[in-house]
Amino acid sequence: MTVAEQSAAVQPADVVTVTVDGIDVRVPKGTLVIRVAELMGIEIPRFCDHPLLDPVAACRMCLIEIEGNPKPQPACAITVTDGMVVRTQRTSEMADQAQEGVMEFLLLNHPLDCPICDKGGECPLQNQAMTAGRGTSRFEGHKRTFPKPINMSAQILLDRERCVSCARCTRFAEQIAGDPMLELLERGAEQQVGIGPDAPFDSYFSGNTIQICPVGALTSSLYRFRARPFDLVSTPTTCEHCASGCSLRTDVRRGVVNRRLAWDDPEVNEEWNCDKGRFAFQYLDRGRVETPLVRESGGLRVASWPEALDIAARGLAEARGRTAVLTGGRLTREDAYAYSKFARVTLGTDDIDFRTRVSSDEEARFLASQVAGMPMGPTYADLDRAPVVLLVGLEPEDESPIIFLRLRRAARKNSVPVVVMSPVRTRGTDKMRARWLPCRPGDEASGLAGLSQADPGLVAQLSTPGAVILVGERLAGVPGALSAAAALSASTGARLGWVPRRAGERGALDVGALAGLLPGGRPVDNPQARAEVAAAWRIPADAMPSAPGRSSAQVIDEVLSDVGRAARDEPRVYDALVISGLDVADDPRADDLRRALEGVPFLVSFATHHSEVTEQADVVFPVAVVSEKAGSFTDWEGRTKPFSAAVRGAQTITDARALAMLADVMDAPIGSGDVGSLRAEMDALGRWNGPRPSAPDDRPAASTEGTALATWRLLLDRGRLQEDEPHLAATARPVEAVMSESTATALGVAGRSTVMLASDRGSVELPLRIDDVADGTVWAPLYSEGCDLQALGLRHGSAVSVTGGAA
Amino acid sequence: MATPLTPVITAHWDVPDLFTLEGYRRTGGYRALPKALGTDPDAIIGTVKDTGLRGRGGAGFPTGLKWSFVPQGDGKPHYLVVNADESEPGACKDVPIMMANPHALVEGVIISAYAIRANHAFIYIRGEVPQAIRRVAAAVREAEQAGYIGTNILGSGFDLRVTVHSGAGAYICGEETALLDSLEGFRGQPRLKPPFPAVAGLYSVPTVVNNVETITNIPWIINNGVEWFRLFGTEKSPGFKVFSVSGHVVRPGIYEAPLGITMRELLEYAGGVRDGGRVKFWIPGGSSVPMLTEEHLDTPMTYEAMAEIGTMLGTGTPMVFDETISVVKSVTRWLEFYKHESCGKCTPCREGTYWITEVLERFEHGHGQDADLDLLNEVCGHIMGRSFCALGDAAATPYPAAVKLFRDEFVAATRTPVDESYPPAAGYVFSAVGAR
Amino acid sequence: MALDEGVRVQMAAIVERYPRSRSAVMPLLHLAQSAEGELTDEAMRIIADALDLTTAEVAAVATFYTMYKRRPVGKHLIGVCTNTLCGLLGGDAVYDALSDRLGVGHDETTADGMFTLERIECQAACTHAPVMTVDWEFMDCQTPTSALDVVERLARGETVVSTRGPEIRDFEATEHTLAFPDDGLANQGGEADAIMLAGLRVAHELGMSAPPVPGQEP
Ligand SMILES: Cc1cc2nc3c(=O)[nH]c(=O)nc-3n(C[C@H](O)[C@H](O)[C@H](O)COP(=O)(O)O)c2cc1C
Ligand code: SF4
Ligand code: FES
């Protein structure tokens, strides 16, 4: 909340009057002097102050005069009291002198290497030296020097001589991220930022330290010496990596994204983001599909747009009604909407699914009843003061880092109780000061269902207004879990938040890129719903598919069965597939999907990058990556965050535009496909107000026998969008198997340094670590370097064989 | 009428086994404890308030008042922390107290903890004085064995644990909030105040931090009462003080006398300046307070009188220098000390001491520049009152005081190395007469 | 750190003293030095593990305090106070003499690993200037001659007794004392020395004493 918002919200009793530079203002009691001055447009110079960090008043740059106090006081640490009279450097000689003195001290040992410094041009030290400093230095001694630069991690570099010891980075690491791996070392003039012996600053949030460093001391391997601020064109954007919904700033130099920063969005990411969002963008320019391609004598050749459109149109027209659309979870809301419409209008099918991950029919029913097209909420702000937040099947530090930061702050600042029902007590659990409810993988459903018996205290907390339950992606693979979560929410009144992993999932769901659901959460089998959509789309209501289509899993099954059907001369269910940005390896049934892609007679791919899909496609259309287009993502809260193209004048077109062109050629138009008209259409449609299907009521499955696998995707893993980021990859968490002491003993692997996890399809050897894990369970990352568990046919809750590896 | 010496804390230091429980008891030790435990804690706080006892750690804050800031009945644990980090250049009174009479400190700790309702007390002793640490630790163990520390002490229902903690070489850890951070296992850097330790101290709960000498006063206050205590000293500076007199005096050592004694009197007791020489400059309470000259020898050593002449009583540990000593070199050494001990947290102290030291070292070698004389004053002015804690203020103290009194000497050091003007050997206490 | 079971037990005993385990970091660092004569990376890792801290947090503390040594210290750590009072009253000469004799400068160790020499700050012993410490035990009122004699005797393996403490052992032994101060040596070093008693003796000579408690016999 800004000071202004706060003042609007509080009672007059909490408001005090202070005078700053002769002007009276009324502000909430307890506001810091420096914030009051900001509110009034008075800039007090500062280095250590940061509105989101606890004050330290270490740099002494912000000294101001407070009437009645003989010594200048740090504006960043003094809270206002009624009647306080403050004089800043503008009206106080004392303050001005003090600031000038501190600035001179700061520059004493500073190398003044601005011409070769990354921060030059956007440097608080540089700027404030101009406003608050003296023209020349009176110091004639030897400046402190350090050997240049040292690695804090593979990604973060430190030039120690530039550091002003403001401790922003170290406070960020400790307070915000909860990763005190970056610390002040040594003492006095030797004081410097550093890491522990052989213990790099491998925090998921490390990049934020670069951004808040008020000098050029911290830089990234990725950006160091790459550009100067005045060469860059900056655009506010929304992060495409996960469903946290971070506002970013994308800096482009000559058409190439050079850097991404966190943008201040107080309601979402505040001023932070994770390292994936900050550093993983090389993919934007690598391995791109640049022209349309068509299949010819077994290979792909370059084709013109008209030719490619023509071939695709013919193939799809023949397959009308026998085509399915798989969109992946990464589309913008606008593009997803175009697929939704294209499928129904042009292809005459309801067989569309955005899920390339573990999914289920239960999940689809859960989403239809609880999430699709629902108003926003619960929100980040709801987490700040919730009486309790229960997480199930969600490891926010890996799967939605901004939720993690919010919950950590809520716990730290507001003592919000966080409870994690999970097989593993992770570092993240501790950093959120969370209570760990151990739960074997696969037992989440019974765990939730049995909560009122097992933990009535928690159920009582959940029944307090404002309580929140957050469920994650992997619950889709646990029969009965989403049903149980919905039931718990219904019985307690706790608000339920569904946290998908990918940025495009919530938007795709809301606009109907899921079989059975039309835009706004309209059930396809509801005539009224169909009529509303048909009217908006200007097609006859009876032209709309009226029965719910098939999910991606069912599509894959049918395409595989089609091979047999064809052999038996029976009609195929599918003659064509339309596929957008998905990575085959992301699918839990990647091998089946591969065979389906090979087996389907006609495959149209809209692709940003060459992939296993484009390799099999009959027609490939090149489409724009997120930096080249306008669009929006809807975050897990249901908040839609629009953005415009960061790379101006890119020649690429969006999925939506390409679909529109194709629809035109097929004579079943869906509009122009431009962002403005798509948004207008979606807005006009609005959300469904009619009846919704009831929540699923699936039964829990029996507990997994033997050793159950707990798994999820680490934030930094083999994800396609993280390709070509060696520095980032080097900061990933270790790939290892984790289990409890007693499990290790029971399995006879205690004392082993590695273990083998095996399925009937193969095995993987991983280092073993003993930690707090539910008994009878082993945890390993789903899709990390050297550990692709889905390829072994394993998923969260699977039975897995564990044997000892190296001694 | 000359002020007499009044040994109280030091009265039995010549008893050979005073540092043992046995020896301390024989001299009347641990008589205050049962008396205190039979008294209401608030009454003890009231008594200490009434004595007007002021903290002996340097700042002179009224001890009883500090104790009364501890919120009572707040349901939180409270802690007593004894500041035994004595590292101020010139100060050497707490270490001798701990070596000679550790049980008096321990008895004071138990009573003080009882008064502020602390069930755990810490004695933070600088690490460089193992013999003092041993003696205090042994005293604590003996007191435990005697039932003075532990559960239900002397049947009073009062429980106390005492932990002796060794520092590791950092002057700043004498600053009370830095000490608390250090004791919590962090770097010893000072904390933002408020909140003050009495409200949020060790582990963020109410904590009293007191100096060794302050706490050692307590048993006598309990035994002998307010009226007796106020027989010593002045209205604003009541009580007795353990003065450590060091430097060029005939008999350096520990002299206990009422506050208000003059330096001339102390000097006389100490046999005067060695070799019949003259006082060139002296410092009443550690290098952090401004230096004085002969002309101030008759000012009473009280908090108020010292303040009036522009200095401070500080730790009450006078250092005396005769005319063989270079002021330039003395100040340079002290600044090297402050530079070495600056914690690094705040800019003025960290960078300012770096700057001043560089310039002063040029003076020491006869390379000072005239313009530097004022520049240094300005730099000190940019530290004074602007640093995070009082260490910065202390670092900004020696030079302005010295240049005011001995400007010529600094001017001379723009041409002549100080070792030429002041041959070092002349200052050595073994130069003429050999080792003492 | 030579991490035998014994050290583990000692670590646990230290942690026990404090309401929160992190407070034990300083004594544990002393303990580590007593085991290895310096503070190694490995020791910091072990302490970090024991206290559930990052190694950076341990390093932040270890590098702040001057008594923690990140390089091997000689068998004996010789400190000479060269702060103003001791230094100008003769500590400088004592330091120079030792430096010449040992052939090392500040914070350096003799090739035979016997001695590390340091300039140290004020030791709260100004009345006993010039002050030297051996393994942090007081060697008060030194002259260059007496200091050299101490070093010679230590070099020959002869007994040297602190002027106000026990017989000199070695650096590691003192570090162990700092972790476990109750080492049985508290009674060594005897009563207060003449300097500490200076005032009391004058008072006795002059018949001075503190006033009696009002209403009580003196
Ligand atoms: C840099 C610095 C060093 C200090 N060193 C000591 C010290 O070694 N011993 C001490 O008792 N007080 C020291 N103090 C004062 C303490 O902060 C605090 O005022 C004192 O311990 C309170 O105890 P008292 O009220 O009994 O004097 C120091 C203060 C500063 C700023
Ligand atoms: S004045 Fe500043 S740098 Fe110096 S010791 Fe205090 S906080 Fe640290
Ligand atoms: S900004 Fe206030 S002290 Fe640094």
Side-chain angles (χ1 to χ4, degrees):
Chain A
M1 226 185 328
T2 66
V3 175
E5 285 166 325
Q6 270 172 20
S7 37
V10 291
Q11 302 302 312
D14 298 332
V15 172
V16 295
T17 303
V18 291
T19 311
V20 182
D21 292 343
I23 303 163
D24 287 355
V25 282
R26 287 167 58 72
V27 293
K29 194 160 81 188
T31 310
L32 293 167
V33 170
I34 200 165
R35 301 278 98 78
V36 176
E38 265 167 21
L39 184 69
M40 301 170 68
I42 298 170
E43 181 78 6
I44 298 173
R46 81 286 303 269
F47 292 104
C48 65
D49 171 69
H50 189 284
L52 299 176
L53 300 174
D54 297 347
V56 274
C59 77
R60 317 303 283 178
M61 190 63 224
C62 66
L63 294 173
I64 44 91
E65 182 177 348
I66 292 176
E67 202 171 272
N69 207 321
K71 294 201 240 171
Q73 298 295 314
C76 69
I78 303 282
T79 52
V80 291
T81 52
D82 200 32
M84 184 184 266
V85 176
V86 175
R87 281 190 271 278
T88 74
Q89 71 279 3
R90 305 195 317 168
T91 58
S92 158
E93 178 71 13
M94 184 209 269
D96 190 52
Q97 284 296 305
Q99 292 176 8
E100 191 181 298
V102 173
M103 181 53 81
E104 188 171 21
F105 285 141
L106 281 171
L107 295 180
L108 208 65
N109 274 308
H110 191 83
L112 301 175
D113 57 346
C114 312
I116 56 149
C117 175
D118 277 346
K119 205 81 170 191
E122 54 181 15
C123 174
L125 180 63
Q126 205 176 34
N127 298 343
Q128 293 177 146
M130 305 305 281
T131 54
R134 315 168 45 94
T136 53
S137 169
R138 297 181 292 178
F139 177 67
E140 293 174 347
H142 305 282
K143 283 191 193 257
R144 190 166 55 219
T145 55
F146 294 99
K148 283 229 139 203
I150 53 173
N151 277 87
M152 297 291 98
S153 70
Q155 183 68 273
I156 310 285
L157 292 147
L158 171 69
D159 288 273
R160 285 170 290 179
E161 67 279 16
R162 290 180 188 151
C163 169
V164 291
S165 272
C166 70
R168 280 189 184 182
C169 56
T170 53
R171 279 180 293 149
F172 171 85
E174 196 260 320
Q175 295 168 13
I176 306 297
D179 295 327
M181 309 181 240
L182 196 67
E183 285 279 338
L184 290 168
L185 306 179
E186 307 293 339
R187 182 171 89 194
E190 301 296 315
Q191 179 171 269
Q192 53 189 272
V193 170
I195 52 177
D198 308 321
F201 180 41
D202 287 343
S203 167
Y204 281 167
F205 304 96
S206 70
N208 292 290
T209 60
I210 298 173
Q211 193 172 340
I212 58 175
C213 177
V215 296
L218 291 167
T219 50
S220 68
S221 301
L222 184 60
Y223 177 70
R224 198 175 160 81
F225 300 137
R226 286 257 309 241
R228 325 266 29 226
F230 38 83
D231 291 334
L232 299 171
V233 179
S234 302
T235 307
T237 53
T238 305
C239 186
E240 77 278 28
H241 283 287
C242 84
S244 291
C246 288
S247 290
L248 302 184
R249 183 183 114 187
T250 300
D251 287 353
V252 172
R253 180 167 172 262
R254 295 202 209 116
V256 176
V257 175
N258 260 241
R259 152 171 99 160
R260 308 209 307 190
L261 305 168
W263 190 274
D264 185 10
D265 183 343
E267 296 188 312
V268 178
N269 54 313
E270 306 197 282
E271 298 179 34
W272 317 126
N273 74 339
C274 77
D275 283 1
K276 184 156 77 175
R278 184 178 298 266
F279 295 127
F281 59 76
Q282 296 301 324
Y283 84 93
L284 292 171
D285 299 309
R286 313 269 171 101
R288 293 289 299 276
V289 178
E290 281 163 356
T291 60
L293 304 168
V294 295
R295 185 154 303 276
E296 189 175 277
S297 45
L300 286 173
R301 69 159 168 83
V302 172
S304 69
W305 272 95
E307 184 189 10
L309 285 169
D310 213 47
I311 297 171
R314 265 190 279 127
L316 292 178
E318 276 170 28
R320 197 182 144 84
R322 290 185 311 285
T323 305
V325 182
L326 304 181
T327 67
R330 306 208 163 278
L331 295 176
T332 63
R333 194 164 162 269
E334 291 77 4
D335 285 341
Y337 174 75
Y339 280 101
S340 171
K341 188 172 178 184
F342 182 79
R344 275 86 182 208
V345 173
T346 313
L347 301 178
T349 180
D350 190 56
D351 299 355
I352 178 168
D353 199 340
F354 62 87
R355 299 172 299 174
T356 313
R357 52 164 173 81
V358 63
S359 61
S360 66
D361 175 50
E362 181 190 4
E363 185 199 28
R365 285 179 283 131
F366 169 85
L367 295 175
S369 67
Q370 310 286 316
V371 184
M374 290 292 205
M376 201 167 94
T379 63
Y380 283 110
D382 292 332
L383 304 181
D384 287 341
R385 302 255 167 212
V388 69
V389 179
L390 171 65
L391 309 181
V392 192
L394 175 66
E395 180 62 26
E397 199 182 5
D398 284 312
E399 299 178 296
S400 190
I402 301 304
I403 292 185
F404 165 76
L405 291 185
R406 265 307 166 108
L407 287 175
R408 174 170 161 78
R409 192 188 61 181
R412 212 174 81 86
K413 291 281 186 189
N414 306 336
S415 305
V416 169
V418 179
V419 183
V420 179
M421 180 182 280
S422 166
V424 192
R425 181 179 149 193
T426 60
R427 219 170 81 199
T429 315
D430 292 343
K431 288 189 283 192
M432 296 183 295
R433 304 192 179 171
R435 184 155 72 88
W436 178 47
L437 291 183
C439 173
R440 276 187 87 218
D443 289 356
E444 287 88 349
S446 44
L448 286 170
L451 211 54
S452 46
Q453 255 106 67
D455 201 335
L458 175 56
V459 173
Q461 276 179 305
L462 286 167
S463 307
T464 315
V468 175
I469 302 169
L470 297 180
V471 296
E473 165 177 300
R474 80 188 91 112
L475 286 198
V478 178
L482 290 170
S483 301
L488 184 63
S489 161
S491 66
T492 58
R495 302 185 69 184
L496 186 56
W498 174 66
V499 185
R501 256 184 3 94
R502 296 203 174 97
E505 297 210 357
R506 176 66 193 264
L509 174 68
D510 284 349
V511 301
L514 182 63
L517 283 176
L518 295 170
R522 292 176 175 78
V524 83
D525 52 7
N526 181 303
Q528 168 71 24
R530 279 203 307 279
E532 285 178 18
V533 176
W537 287 349
R538 304 215 183 95
I539 55 170
D542 58 8
M544 293 277 284
S546 58
R550 294 190 189 87
S551 68
S552 67
Q554 291 165 332
V555 170
I556 292 170
D557 286 342
E558 295 300 345
V559 174
L560 295 182
S561 307
D562 277 345
V563 179
R565 287 187 193 108
R568 296 191 298 274
D569 262 352
E570 291 166 23
R572 293 169 178 272
V573 174
Y574 289 114
D575 282 326
L577 289 179
V578 173
I579 296 199
S580 177
L582 63 77
D583 183 10
V584 174
D586 282 341
D587 199 280
R589 296 168 58 197
D591 281 345
D592 290 345
L593 177 55
R594 275 185 198 105
R595 287 194 290 126
L597 296 178
E598 282 168 28
V600 74
F602 192 65
L603 177 61
V604 178
S605 161
F606 293 83
T608 55
H609 292 79
H610 294 285
S611 71
E612 290 187 73
V613 180
T614 59
E615 269 168 36
Q616 298 297 333
D618 295 284
V619 185
V620 180
F621 292 107
V623 289
V625 289
V626 66
S627 57
E628 296 163 345
K629 63 187 176 188
S632 58
F633 288 116
T634 304
D635 72 4
W636 69 275
E637 307 166 285
R639 183 193 306 272
T640 294
K641 301 190 59 169
F643 55 87
S644 49
V647 177
R648 319 259 159 95
Q651 297 303 304
T652 44
I653 62 171
T654 62
D655 293 64
R657 183 77 196 101
L659 287 169
M661 285 158 61
L662 183 56
D664 283 346
V665 177
M666 291 173 71
D667 256 349
I670 59 166
S672 70
D674 74 86
V675 168
S677 57
L678 291 164
R679 285 181 186 162
E681 246 182 83
M682 290 189 282
D683 288 351
L685 260 169
R687 68 172 66 95
W688 174 237
N689 290 320
R692 285 174 179 270
S694 52
D697 187 17
D698 290 21
R699 317 258 106 213
S703 275
T704 307
E705 302 212 350
T707 309
L709 173 69
T711 186
W712 58 80
R713 289 187 64 158
L714 294 178
L715 181 75
L716 301 177
D717 65 0
R718 284 170 58 188
R720 195 73 215 268
L721 308 195
Q722 300 162 57
E723 273 176 8
D724 291 317
E725 304 286 0
H727 305 298
L728 179 64
T731 69
R733 297 271 163 87
V735 176
E736 56 190 4
V738 191
M739 63 181 83
S740 71
E741 186 91 60
S742 57
T743 306
T745 307
L747 292 171
V749 300
R752 294 306 177 108
S753 60
T754 68
V755 287
M756 312 285 296
L757 304 194
S759 72
D760 49 4
R761 293 168 57 181
S763 70
V764 56
E765 182 171 7
L766 298 172
L768 171 64
R769 184 164 61 81
I770 301 298
D771 212 326
D772 289 335
V773 178
D775 283 339
T777 302
V778 60
W779 179 90
L782 186 62
Y783 188 54
S784 290
E785 214 37 64
C787 182
D788 181 353
L789 297 181
Q790 286 192 154
L792 298 181
L794 295 170
R795 66 184 198 188
H796 183 77
S798 301
V800 60
S801 129
V802 181
T803 51
Chain B
M1 160 74 206
T3 316
L5 293 172
T6 54
V8 176
I9 290 174
T10 59
H12 302 288
W13 282 17
D14 54 353
V15 171
D17 61 348
L18 180 67
F19 53 83
T20 64
L21 181 74
E22 208 12 65
Y24 180 60
R25 267 214 206 107
R26 246 188 288 115
T27 62
Y30 288 110
R31 266 188 228 151
L33 181 59
K35 194 171 162 190
L37 294 179
T39 314
D40 177 51
D42 288 334
I44 298 177
I45 297 179
T47 301
V48 174
K49 242 187 191 167
D50 293 344
T51 60
L53 171 66
R54 297 175 64 165
R56 304 295 193 230
F61 192 84
T63 305
L65 188 61
K66 185 187 279 188
W67 292 9
S68 68
F69 291 154
V70 173
Q72 295 302 342
D74 56 350
K76 292 180 184 165
H78 297 174
Y79 295 109
L80 173 70
V81 176
V82 176
N83 188 342
D85 193 54
E86 187 168 59
S87 310
E88 166 85 7
C92 55
K93 58 176 186 83
D94 297 339
V95 166
I97 290 173
M98 292 186 285
M99 304 250 287
N101 201 356
H103 276 286
L105 171 64
V106 170
E107 187 176 12
V109 165
I110 306 167
I111 297 169
S112 307
Y114 171 74
I116 63 158
R117 294 153 173 104
N119 297 110
H120 198 158
F122 296 85
I123 306 176
Y124 185 114
I125 312 179
R126 66 178 300 187
E128 300 96 325
V129 291
Q131 192 58 11
I133 296 172
R134 286 183 186 105
R135 291 233 166 133
V136 173
V140 167
R141 183 174 37 75
E142 285 184 308
E144 280 167 359
Q145 285 163 355
Y148 299 146
I149 294 174
T151 47
N152 191 20
I153 297 167
L154 304 180
S156 63
F158 173 60
D159 302 340
L160 180 67
R161 278 182 79 183
V162 178
T163 298
V164 176
H165 182 96
S166 309
Y171 167 57
I172 185 61
C173 290
E175 197 284 333
E176 56 184 6
T177 62
L179 185 152
L180 294 175
D181 258 33
S182 177
L183 192 51
E184 288 188 15
F186 294 88
R187 297 158 67 71
Q189 293 189 324
R191 301 176 178 177
L192 260 181
K193 290 190 266 193
F196 290 90
V199 176
L202 189 65
Y203 312 124
S204 303
V205 299
T207 301
V208 163
V209 183
N210 270 132
N211 171 259
V212 168
E213 188 186 350
T214 313
I215 294 294
T216 307
N217 267 266
I218 300 300
W220 280 278
I221 287 176
I222 297 298
N223 276 329
N224 299 347
V226 173
E227 200 186 329
W228 171 80
F229 190 83
R230 282 192 169 274
L231 293 175
F232 303 79
T234 64
E235 174 62 28
K236 289 184 175 154
S237 302
F240 36 87
K241 177 83 190 71
V242 177
F243 293 101
S244 63
V245 182
S246 62
H248 287 131
V249 298
V250 173
R251 277 189 306 275
I254 303 295
Y255 294 82
E256 194 174 4
L259 286 163
I261 192 169
T262 64
M263 189 62 217
R264 192 178 301 282
E265 290 167 327
L266 278 176
L267 199 53
E268 256 167 51
Y269 292 131
V273 175
R274 64 159 186 177
D275 302 338
R278 288 178 55 185
V279 174
K280 178 174 176 182
F281 65 99
W282 66 284
I283 302 194
S287 60
S288 302
V289 310
M291 59 173 61
L292 300 169
T293 60
E294 259 190 325
E295 94 182 78
H296 305 109
L297 287 175
D298 295 312
T299 309
M301 304 268 282
T302 61
Y303 295 98
E304 61 278 13
M306 287 288 128
E308 249 165 57
I309 58 169
T311 184
M312 285 179 280
L313 182 64
T315 46
T317 52
M319 286 183 277
V320 177
F321 296 88
D322 71 12
E323 293 179 300
T324 61
I325 293 297
S326 158
V327 169
V328 176
K329 192 162 176 171
S330 304
V331 171
T332 307
R333 281 298 161 89
W334 278 318
L335 259 300
E336 283 166 350
F337 165 79
Y338 289 114
K339 176 186 165 192
H340 184 251
E341 299 300 330
S342 167
C343 80
K345 180 170 191 154
C346 77
T347 310
C349 171
R350 181 185 69 238
E351 304 297 333
T353 53
Y354 184 96
W355 188 354
I356 300 172
T357 309
E358 284 244 345
V359 177
L360 283 176
E361 280 168 0
R362 291 206 294 271
F363 275 92
E364 196 179 328
H365 294 104
H367 302 141
Q369 293 169 20
D370 289 330
D372 289 339
L373 290 178
D374 294 334
L375 176 66
L376 283 181
N377 261 331
E378 226 187 286
V379 173
C380 289
H382 282 314
I383 303 175
M384 183 61 81
R386 296 164 189 188
S387 56
F388 189 93
C389 81
L391 192 153
D393 295 342
T397 295
Y399 175 79
V403 81
K404 201 162 89 200
L405 297 170
F406 299 99
R407 191 173 178 96
D408 290 352
E409 228 181 279
F410 284 90
V411 172
T414 61
R415 298 179 300 272
T416 317
V418 294
D419 278 1
E420 279 175 33
S421 314
Y422 293 87
Y428 298 161
V429 289
F430 45 74
S431 60
V433 292
R436 279 197 294 260
Chain C
M1 176 161 24
L3 221 211
D4 47 37
E5 195 49 34
V7 177
R8 290 271 185 196
V9 171
Q10 292 181 35
M11 287 174 68
I14 288 173
V15 173
E16 234 300 290
R17 291 177 199 157
Y18 299 93
R20 294 193 189 168
S21 64
R22 183 168 182 154
S23 287
V25 66
M26 290 179 69
L28 291 185
L29 290 167
H30 281 306
L31 182 68
Q33 292 204 133
S34 80
E36 296 192 311
E38 66 172 315
L39 206 51
T40 59
D41 289 353
E42 174 64 8
M44 291 204 277
R45 270 192 289 270
I46 289 167
I47 292 169
D49 279 352
L51 302 180
D52 204 10
L53 300 174
T54 64
T55 53
E57 288 174 302
V58 175
V61 173
T63 57
F64 186 82
Y65 302 92
T66 47
M67 289 177 78
Y68 299 130
K69 307 295 183 190
R70 302 300 317 284
R71 276 184 290 159
V73 174
K75 181 170 194 295
H76 297 292
L77 176 62
I78 312 279
V80 181
C81 176
T82 54
N83 199 306
T84 306
L85 192 116
C86 275
L88 274 55
L89 265 64
D92 287 354
V94 171
Y95 176 85
D96 289 344
L98 288 173
S99 179
D100 276 357
R101 157 68 181 78
L102 298 173
V104 295
H106 170 65
D107 198 19
E108 289 173 7
T109 301
T110 54
D112 62 2
M114 268 302 277
F115 299 104
T116 298
L117 181 64
E118 262 195 317
R119 294 171 180 280
I120 55 177
E121 297 298 358
C122 183
Q123 294 296 298
C126 315
T127 45
H128 296 66
V131 171
M132 169 166 110
T133 59
V134 177
D135 306 327
W136 300 116
E137 311 286 0
F138 282 126
M139 299 301 298
D140 301 315
C141 305
Q142 293 298 303
T143 67
T145 320
S146 69
L148 288 174
D149 182 54
V150 166
V151 165
E152 297 306 341
R153 280 187 289 148
L154 288 172
R156 289 195 300 266
E158 293 174 17
T159 301
V160 173
V161 180
S162 157
T163 51
R164 279 188 288 165
E167 194 178 290
I168 301 297
R169 298 169 301 162
D170 58 23
F171 171 72
E172 293 182 3
T174 302
E175 282 296 325
H176 198 269
T177 296
L178 296 179
F180 287 93
D182 210 356
D183 61 2
L185 299 176
N187 288 1
Q188 310 254 318
E191 59 184 293
D193 67 6
I195 296 174
M196 289 160 68
L197 292 175
L200 186 63
R201 292 205 171 138
V202 173
H204 285 166
E205 270 166 36
L206 302 178
M208 294 172 170
S209 62
V213 180
Q216 274 182 28
E217 287 306 303

